[in-house]
Amino acid sequence: MIVTRKIGSLIRGKTTPFQIYAACILGALIGFIPSFSHAPALVAFWILLLLVLNANLFLAGIVLLLSKLVLLLAMPLVFAIGRFLLEGPTQGLFKALINAPVTAYSGLDYYAVAGGQLLALILGFALAFVLKRSITNYRKKMMVVSEDSARLKKYNEKLWVKALKFLFLGKGRGKKSYEELLSVKMGNPIRIWGLAIVVLLGAVIGLGFSKLSAPLLTSLAKSNLETANGATVDLESVDLSFGESKLEVLGLAMADAQNLDTNIFSSKRIVADVNTADLLRKRFSIDNLVIEDAASGDARETPGVQIGPKPKTDSKIEMPDFDDLDSVLENADVWKERLAQAKRWLEQMTAGGEEAQETLTWKEELNSRIRALGHANVKADFLTEGSPTLWIRRIEAKGIKTPYFEGALLDLNGADLSTHPALAAAAPTLSLVADNQKFDARLSLAGASGTGTNDLKMLLKQVAVDPLASKIKSDGNPPVSGGSMDIDLSGVIGTAANDLVAKVTFDGTQARIGGNPVDLDGITLPLQIRGPLDRPGIKLESDALQKLAEAALKKKATEEVSKKLGLEGDEAEAAGKLLDGLFKKKK
């Protein structure tokens, strides 16, 4: 009933055209922003303006809710409009706003924000025009049928009419006549109590910024980390000290999107030396970032929750002689989800570089980002100039605890990690090394900075064969069993395409070829890995298979010769060497 009375009051009351236009336009502008974290400065400015201007707050609230609904339903259209603005004739204007102090926090580098604001202006103005015209027509008709007429006065005195007016129409026009209401175009444009609230709020923020900055930073950091992670992120606090130029993060725990009962990463404390000079331009420059008491794979007290839609991927690959994950692994879905998450991280680390454009058109690259991040979270990173929005010159984490690699501790080191590698001083590098020397991974993102290729080198030693072999699709028994293997992976990596070679060297392992056991001890198999990061194709070199087949044939021939000739011990070994020579000669 309250809502209906508000609507009735809007129609019958003293609402001016200015109040209608201000409410519809400001309500739409706020509603077409995906979230506060996307455009904090813009949201704050429109809300403050809504309080100061004498807009109809009820109407603004209704328009805001309707705009949110339209935004969700028309997100592809909003994105397309944003692309026209950010990549079209108005690009220069948006570039200036994106790189200027304060307006850098307006989120106009998001396609959805830029497009949404233009659409909000159009729809807000159109809705205000229709409402204003309808109310004006109503008042004109009511002016003709004067309330002072004897018939209308007698009608209004009826009890049921008064009840309906009380329930549905709310307050009337007061002492003003409809003729007087029609003559008012603007009225008082300023809301006095709203202006007082804004002034008071400004004073509170100015005096207590140190107390308010921590919750604000914590909220922004949590929201952005959850978008990147795809699952719940717990965060105790984020505090930025301007006096000491220091950033402190406490109680970080990022849930594993593929196993919500565990954390993919957690740390009790993270400390960073921050350059505060460029903060007004939304530039976070960190000279040194130290991660303390870090862990990976630890159990969570409360299971996490999936955040955002899962990336859509096509399980088919278009590469002859290459097998996709579904045809190779029993747990292909788990691997595809994990690789999709890695792709999302790599896309954010390489945004603004030239790696993706080498193999994809810009439209294909945008579609790839949309699948990974969603329309609302895709940015026009190429409009950022001067320096990266986030630049970590050095990152260090010693003794990361993990249940993997038999409880080994990992050391993480990185340099020049940024949102815009092409604007940083050097190519980003990242390394993760186990203290037992069984794991060593190094990533150089020169392709992201446009100075080379994204090179990955990873070495895994003494990996148990049986747990992995049990996940390989095969008829009956696993194709390999027993012993361990060393995996030496190297090559070029990217979000759009990969060209990697994994050299797998076996120790004490047997394979079954043609139903016969073959000793793989010391044998190295090269595997080619190509295609998109989230759905790679895998190929085993034909000559490697030939070697295995020859080994199986040689072993079987040796056994047959020894059996027929009654050879044993050294004689059987000599026969094997003779056959080995024959095989090599034949080759």
Coordinates of all heavy atoms in Angstrom, one line a residue, residues 110-174:
Y110 N 35.9 0.1 -18.3 CA 35.0 -1.1 -18.5 C 34.0 -0.8 -19.7 O 33.3 0.2 -19.6 CB 34.2 -1.4 -17.3 CG 35.1 -2.0 -16.1 CD1 35.5 -1.2 -15.1 CD2 35.3 -3.4 -16.1 CE1 36.2 -1.8 -14.1 CE2 36.1 -3.9 -15.1 CZ 36.5 -3.1 -14.1 OH 37.2 -3.7 -13.1
Y111 N 34.0 -1.7 -20.6 CA 33.0 -1.5 -21.7 C 31.6 -1.4 -21.2 O 30.8 -0.6 -21.7 CB 33.1 -2.7 -22.7 CG 34.3 -2.7 -23.5 CD1 35.4 -3.5 -23.2 CD2 34.4 -2.0 -24.7 CE1 36.6 -3.5 -23.9 CE2 35.6 -2.0 -25.5 CZ 36.6 -2.8 -25.1 OH 37.8 -2.8 -25.9
A112 N 31.2 -2.2 -20.2 CA 29.9 -2.2 -19.7 C 29.5 -0.9 -19.0 O 28.4 -0.4 -19.0 CB 29.7 -3.4 -18.7
V113 N 30.5 -0.3 -18.3 CA 30.3 1.0 -17.6 C 30.1 2.1 -18.6 O 29.1 2.9 -18.5 CB 31.4 1.3 -16.6 CG1 31.2 2.7 -16.1 CG2 31.5 0.3 -15.5
A114 N 31.0 2.2 -19.6 CA 30.9 3.3 -20.6 C 29.6 3.2 -21.4 O 28.9 4.2 -21.6 CB 32.1 3.2 -21.5
G115 N 29.3 2.0 -21.9 CA 28.1 1.8 -22.6 C 26.8 2.0 -21.8 O 25.8 2.5 -22.3
G116 N 26.9 1.5 -20.5 CA 25.8 1.7 -19.7 C 25.4 3.1 -19.4 O 24.2 3.4 -19.3
Q117 N 26.4 4.0 -19.2 CA 26.1 5.4 -18.9 C 25.4 6.1 -20.1 O 24.5 6.9 -19.9 CB 27.4 6.1 -18.5 CG 28.1 5.6 -17.2 CD 27.1 5.8 -16.0 OE1 27.0 6.9 -15.5 NE2 26.4 4.7 -15.6
L118 N 25.8 5.8 -21.3 CA 25.2 6.4 -22.4 C 23.7 5.9 -22.6 O 22.8 6.7 -22.8 CB 25.9 6.1 -23.7 CG 25.3 6.6 -25.0 CD1 25.2 8.1 -25.0 CD2 26.1 6.2 -26.3
L119 N 23.6 4.6 -22.4 CA 22.2 4.0 -22.5 C 21.3 4.5 -21.3 O 20.1 4.8 -21.5 CB 22.3 2.5 -22.4 CG 21.0 1.7 -22.8 CD1 20.6 2.0 -24.2 CD2 21.3 0.2 -22.7
A120 N 21.9 4.7 -20.2 CA 21.2 5.3 -19.0 C 20.7 6.7 -19.3 O 19.6 7.0 -19.0 CB 22.1 5.3 -17.8
L121 N 21.5 7.5 -19.9 CA 21.1 8.9 -20.3 C 19.9 8.8 -21.3 O 19.0 9.6 -21.1 CB 22.3 9.6 -20.9 CG 23.4 10.1 -19.9 CD1 24.5 10.7 -20.7 CD2 22.8 11.1 -19.0
I122 N 20.0 8.0 -22.2 CA 18.9 7.9 -23.3 C 17.6 7.4 -22.6 O 16.6 8.0 -22.8 CB 19.4 7.0 -24.4 CG1 20.6 7.6 -25.1 CG2 18.2 6.8 -25.4 CD1 21.2 6.7 -26.2
L123 N 17.7 6.3 -21.9 CA 16.5 5.7 -21.3 C 16.0 6.5 -20.2 O 14.7 6.7 -20.1 CB 16.8 4.3 -20.8 CG 17.2 3.2 -21.9 CD1 17.4 1.9 -21.3 CD2 16.1 3.1 -23.0
G124 N 16.9 7.1 -19.4 CA 16.4 8.0 -18.3 C 15.7 9.2 -18.8 O 14.6 9.6 -18.3
F125 N 16.2 9.8 -19.9 CA 15.6 11.0 -20.5 C 14.2 10.6 -21.1 O 13.2 11.3 -20.9 CB 16.5 11.6 -21.5 CG 16.0 12.9 -22.1 CD1 16.3 14.1 -21.5 CD2 15.2 12.9 -23.2 CE1 15.8 15.3 -22.0 CE2 14.7 14.1 -23.8 CZ 15.0 15.3 -23.1
A126 N 14.2 9.5 -21.8 CA 13.0 9.0 -22.5 C 11.9 8.7 -21.4 O 10.7 9.1 -21.6 CB 13.2 7.8 -23.3
L127 N 12.2 8.0 -20.4 CA 11.3 7.7 -19.3 C 10.8 9.0 -18.6 O 9.6 9.1 -18.4 CB 11.9 6.8 -18.3 CG 11.0 6.3 -17.1 CD1 9.8 5.6 -17.7 CD2 11.8 5.4 -16.2
A128 N 11.7 9.9 -18.4 CA 11.3 11.2 -17.7 C 10.3 12.0 -18.6 O 9.3 12.5 -18.2 CB 12.5 12.0 -17.4
F129 N 10.6 11.9 -19.9 CA 9.7 12.6 -20.9 C 8.3 12.1 -20.9 O 7.3 12.8 -20.8 CB 10.3 12.6 -22.3 CG 9.5 13.2 -23.4 CD1 9.5 14.6 -23.6 CD2 8.7 12.4 -24.2 CE1 8.7 15.2 -24.5 CE2 7.9 13.0 -25.2 CZ 7.9 14.4 -25.3
V130 N 8.2 10.7 -20.9 CA 6.9 10.1 -20.9 C 6.1 10.4 -19.6 O 4.9 10.7 -19.6 CB 7.1 8.6 -21.1 CG1 5.7 7.8 -20.9 CG2 7.6 8.3 -22.5
L131 N 6.8 10.2 -18.5 CA 6.2 10.5 -17.2 C 5.7 11.9 -17.0 O 4.6 12.2 -16.6 CB 7.2 10.1 -16.0 CG 7.4 8.6 -15.7 CD1 8.4 8.4 -14.7 CD2 6.0 8.0 -15.3
K132 N 6.6 12.8 -17.4 CA 6.3 14.2 -17.3 C 5.1 14.6 -18.2 O 4.2 15.3 -17.7 CB 7.5 15.1 -17.7 CG 7.3 16.6 -17.6 CD 7.1 17.2 -18.9 CE 6.9 18.7 -18.8 NZ 6.5 19.4 -20.1
R133 N 5.1 14.0 -19.4 CA 3.9 14.3 -20.3 C 2.6 13.7 -19.7 O 1.6 14.4 -19.8 CB 4.2 13.7 -21.6 CG 3.2 14.1 -22.7 CD 3.7 13.7 -24.1 NE 2.8 14.1 -25.1 CZ 2.9 13.9 -26.4 NH1 4.1 13.3 -26.8 NH2 2.0 14.3 -27.3
S134 N 2.7 12.5 -19.2 CA 1.5 11.9 -18.6 C 1.0 12.7 -17.4 O -0.3 12.9 -17.3 CB 1.8 10.4 -18.2 OG 2.3 9.7 -19.3
I135 N 1.9 13.1 -16.5 CA 1.4 13.8 -15.4 C 0.8 15.2 -15.8 O -0.1 15.7 -15.2 CB 2.6 14.0 -14.4 CG1 2.9 12.6 -13.8 CG2 2.2 15.0 -13.3 CD1 4.2 12.7 -12.9
T136 N 1.5 15.8 -16.8 CA 1.0 17.1 -17.3 C -0.4 17.0 -17.8 O -1.3 17.8 -17.6 CB 1.9 17.7 -18.3 OG1 3.2 17.9 -17.7 CG2 1.4 19.0 -18.9
N137 N -0.6 15.9 -18.6 CA -2.0 15.7 -19.2 C -3.0 15.4 -18.1 O -4.1 15.9 -18.2 CB -1.9 14.5 -20.2 CG -1.1 14.8 -21.4 OD1 -1.0 16.0 -21.8 ND2 -0.6 13.8 -22.1
Y138 N -2.6 14.7 -17.1 CA -3.5 14.4 -16.0 C -3.9 15.7 -15.3 O -5.1 16.0 -15.0 CB -2.8 13.5 -15.0 CG -3.6 13.3 -13.7 CD1 -4.7 12.5 -13.6 CD2 -3.2 14.1 -12.6 CE1 -5.4 12.4 -12.4 CE2 -3.9 14.0 -11.4 CZ -5.0 13.1 -11.3 OH -5.6 13.0 -10.1
R139 N -2.9 16.6 -15.1 CA -3.2 17.8 -14.4 C -4.1 18.8 -15.3 O -4.9 19.5 -14.7 CB -1.9 18.5 -14.0 CG -1.2 17.8 -12.9 CD 0.2 18.4 -12.6 NE 0.8 17.7 -11.5 CZ 2.1 18.0 -11.1 NH1 2.9 18.8 -11.8 NH2 2.6 17.3 -10.1
K140 N -3.9 18.7 -16.6 CA -4.7 19.5 -17.4 C -6.2 19.1 -17.4 O -7.1 19.9 -17.4 CB -4.2 19.5 -18.9 CG -2.9 20.3 -19.1 CD -2.4 20.2 -20.5 CE -1.1 21.0 -20.8 NZ -0.6 20.9 -22.1
K141 N -6.4 17.8 -17.4 CA -7.7 17.3 -17.4 C -8.4 17.6 -16.0 O -9.6 17.9 -16.0 CB -7.7 15.8 -17.6 CG -7.4 15.4 -19.0 CD -7.4 13.9 -19.2 CE -7.0 13.5 -20.7 NZ -7.0 12.0 -20.9
M142 N -7.6 17.4 -14.9 CA -8.1 17.7 -13.6 C -8.4 19.2 -13.5 O -9.3 19.6 -12.7 CB -7.2 17.3 -12.6 CG -7.0 15.7 -12.5 SD -8.6 14.9 -12.2 CE -9.1 15.5 -10.6
M143 N -7.7 20.0 -14.2 CA -7.9 21.5 -14.1 C -9.3 21.8 -14.7 O -10.0 22.7 -14.2 CB -6.8 22.2 -14.8 CG -6.9 23.8 -14.7 SD -5.4 24.6 -15.4 CE -5.6 24.1 -17.1
V144 N -9.6 21.1 -15.8 CA -10.9 21.3 -16.4 C -12.1 20.9 -15.5 O -13.1 21.6 -15.3 CB -11.0 20.5 -17.7 CG1 -12.4 20.6 -18.3 CG2 -10.0 21.0 -18.7
V145 N -11.9 19.7 -14.8 CA -12.9 19.2 -13.9 C -12.5 19.8 -12.5 O -11.7 19.1 -11.8 CB -13.0 17.7 -13.9 CG1 -14.1 17.2 -12.9 CG2 -13.2 17.2 -15.3
S146 N -12.8 20.9 -12.2 CA -12.4 21.6 -11.0 C -12.9 20.9 -9.8 O -14.1 20.4 -9.7 CB -12.9 23.0 -11.0 OG -12.6 23.6 -9.7
E147 N -12.1 20.7 -8.8 CA -12.5 20.0 -7.5 C -13.4 20.9 -6.7 O -14.1 20.4 -5.8 CB -11.2 19.8 -6.7 CG -10.3 18.7 -7.2 CD -9.2 18.4 -6.3 OE1 -9.1 19.1 -5.2 OE2 -8.5 17.4 -6.5
D148 N -13.6 22.1 -7.1 CA -14.5 23.0 -6.4 C -16.0 22.9 -6.9 O -16.9 23.4 -6.3 CB -14.1 24.5 -6.6 CG -12.8 24.7 -5.9 OD1 -12.5 24.0 -4.9 OD2 -12.0 25.6 -6.4
S149 N -16.2 22.1 -8.0 CA -17.5 21.9 -8.5 C -18.3 21.1 -7.4 O -17.8 20.3 -6.7 CB -17.5 21.2 -9.8 OG -17.0 19.9 -9.6
A150 N -19.6 21.4 -7.4 CA -20.5 20.8 -6.4 C -20.5 19.3 -6.5 O -20.5 18.5 -5.6 CB -21.9 21.4 -6.5
R151 N -20.6 18.8 -7.8 CA -20.7 17.4 -8.0 C -19.5 16.7 -7.6 O -19.5 15.6 -6.9 CB -21.0 17.2 -9.5 CG -21.1 15.7 -9.9 CD -21.4 15.6 -11.4 NE -21.5 14.2 -11.8 CZ -21.7 13.8 -13.0 NH1 -21.7 14.7 -14.0 NH2 -21.8 12.5 -13.3
L152 N -18.3 17.2 -7.9 CA -17.0 16.5 -7.6 C -16.8 16.6 -6.0 O -16.3 15.7 -5.4 CB -15.9 17.2 -8.3 CG -14.5 16.6 -8.1 CD1 -14.5 15.1 -8.7 CD2 -13.4 17.4 -8.8
K153 N -17.2 17.7 -5.4 CA -17.1 17.9 -4.0 C -17.9 16.8 -3.2 O -17.5 16.2 -2.3 CB -17.5 19.3 -3.6 CG -17.1 19.6 -2.1 CD -17.4 21.1 -1.9 CE -17.1 21.4 -0.4 NZ -17.3 22.9 -0.1
K154 N -19.1 16.7 -3.7 CA -20.0 15.7 -3.1 C -19.5 14.3 -3.3 O -19.6 13.4 -2.3 CB -21.4 15.8 -3.7 CG -22.4 14.9 -3.1 CD -23.8 15.1 -3.8 CE -24.8 14.1 -3.2 NZ -26.2 14.3 -3.8
Y155 N -18.9 14.0 -4.4 CA -18.3 12.7 -4.7 C -17.1 12.4 -3.8 O -17.0 11.3 -3.3 CB -17.9 12.6 -6.2 CG -17.4 11.3 -6.7 CD1 -18.2 10.2 -6.9 CD2 -16.0 11.1 -6.8 CE1 -17.7 9.0 -7.4 CE2 -15.5 9.9 -7.3 CZ -16.4 8.9 -7.5 OH -15.9 7.7 -7.9
N156 N -16.3 13.4 -3.6 CA -15.1 13.2 -2.8 C -15.4 13.0 -1.3 O -14.5 12.5 -0.6 CB -14.1 14.4 -3.0 CG -13.4 14.4 -4.3 OD1 -13.2 13.3 -4.9 ND2 -13.1 15.5 -4.8
E157 N -16.6 13.4 -0.9 CA -17.0 13.3 0.5 C -17.4 11.9 0.9 O -17.6 11.6 2.1 CB -18.1 14.3 0.9 CG -17.5 15.8 0.9 CD -18.7 16.8 1.2 OE1 -19.8 16.3 1.2 OE2 -18.3 17.9 1.4
K158 N -17.6 11.0 -0.1 CA -18.1 9.7 0.2 C -16.9 8.9 0.9 O -15.8 9.1 0.6 CB -18.5 9.0 -1.1 CG -19.7 9.5 -1.7 CD -20.1 8.7 -3.0 CE -21.4 9.3 -3.6 NZ -21.8 8.5 -4.7
L159 N -17.3 8.1 1.9 CA -16.4 7.4 2.7 C -15.5 6.4 1.9 O -14.3 6.4 2.1 CB -17.1 6.6 3.8 CG -16.2 5.8 4.8 CD1 -15.3 6.8 5.6 CD2 -17.0 5.0 5.8
W160 N -16.0 5.6 1.0 CA -15.2 4.7 0.3 C -14.3 5.3 -0.7 O -13.2 4.9 -1.0 CB -16.2 3.7 -0.5 CG -17.0 4.3 -1.6 CD1 -18.2 4.9 -1.5 CD2 -16.6 4.4 -3.0 NE1 -18.7 5.3 -2.6 CE2 -17.7 5.1 -3.6 CE3 -15.5 4.0 -3.7 CZ2 -17.7 5.3 -5.0 CZ3 -15.5 4.3 -5.1 CH2 -16.6 5.0 -5.7
V161 N -14.7 6.5 -1.2 CA -13.8 7.3 -2.1 C -12.6 7.8 -1.2 O -11.4 7.7 -1.7 CB -14.5 8.5 -2.7 CG1 -13.5 9.3 -3.5 CG2 -15.6 7.9 -3.7
K162 N -12.9 8.3 0.0 CA -11.8 8.8 0.8 C -10.8 7.6 1.2 O -9.6 7.8 1.2 CB -12.4 9.4 2.1 CG -13.1 10.7 1.9 CD -13.6 11.2 3.2 CE -14.3 12.6 3.0 NZ -14.8 13.2 4.3
A163 N -11.4 6.4 1.4 CA -10.6 5.3 1.8 C -9.6 4.9 0.6 O -8.5 4.6 0.8 CB -11.5 4.1 2.2
L164 N -10.2 4.8 -0.6 CA -9.4 4.5 -1.7 C -8.3 5.5 -2.0 O -7.2 5.2 -2.3 CB -10.3 4.3 -3.0 CG -11.2 3.1 -3.0 CD1 -12.1 3.1 -4.2 CD2 -10.3 1.8 -3.0
K165 N -8.6 6.8 -1.8 CA -7.6 7.9 -2.0 C -6.5 7.7 -1.0 O -5.4 8.0 -1.3 CB -8.3 9.2 -1.9 CG -9.2 9.6 -3.1 CD -9.9 10.9 -2.9 CE -9.0 12.0 -2.8 NZ -9.8 13.3 -2.7
F166 N -6.9 7.4 0.3 CA -5.9 7.2 1.3 C -5.0 6.0 1.1 O -3.8 6.1 1.3 CB -6.6 7.0 2.7 CG -5.7 6.7 3.8 CD1 -4.9 7.7 4.4 CD2 -5.5 5.4 4.3 CE1 -4.1 7.5 5.4 CE2 -4.6 5.1 5.3 CZ -3.9 6.2 5.9
L167 N -5.6 4.9 0.6 CA -4.8 3.7 0.3 C -3.9 3.8 -0.9 O -2.8 3.4 -0.9 CB -5.7 2.5 0.2 CG -6.4 2.1 1.5 CD1 -7.4 0.9 1.2 CD2 -5.5 1.7 2.6
F168 N -4.4 4.4 -2.0 CA -3.7 4.3 -3.3 C -3.2 5.7 -3.8 O -2.3 5.7 -4.6 CB -4.7 3.7 -4.3 CG -5.1 2.3 -4.0 CD1 -6.3 2.0 -3.5 CD2 -4.2 1.3 -4.2 CE1 -6.7 0.7 -3.2 CE2 -4.5 0.0 -3.9 CZ -5.8 -0.3 -3.4
L169 N -3.7 6.8 -3.4 CA -3.4 8.0 -4.0 C -2.4 8.9 -3.2 O -1.7 9.7 -3.7 CB -4.6 8.8 -4.4 CG -5.5 8.2 -5.5 CD1 -6.7 9.1 -5.8 CD2 -4.7 7.9 -6.7
G170 N -2.4 8.7 -1.9 CA -1.5 9.5 -1.1 C -1.9 10.9 -1.0 O -3.0 11.3 -1.3
K171 N -0.9 11.8 -0.7 CA -1.1 13.2 -0.6 C -1.5 13.8 -1.9 O -1.0 13.4 -3.0 CB 0.1 13.9 0.0 CG 0.4 13.4 1.4 CD 1.6 14.2 1.9 CE 2.0 13.8 3.4 NZ 3.2 14.4 3.9
G172 N -2.3 14.8 -1.9 CA -2.6 15.6 -3.1 C -1.7 16.7 -3.3 O -0.6 16.8 -2.9
R173 N -2.3 17.7 -4.0 CA -1.4 18.9 -4.4 C -1.4 20.0 -3.3 O -0.8 21.0 -3.5 CB -2.0 19.4 -5.7 CG -3.4 20.0 -5.5 CD -4.0 20.5 -6.8 NE -5.3 21.2 -6.7 CZ -6.4 20.6 -6.5 NH1 -6.5 19.3 -6.4 NH2 -7.5 21.3 -6.3
G174 N -2.0 19.7 -2.2 CA -2.1 20.7 -1.2 C -3.0 21.9 -1.5 O -4.0 21.7 -2.1

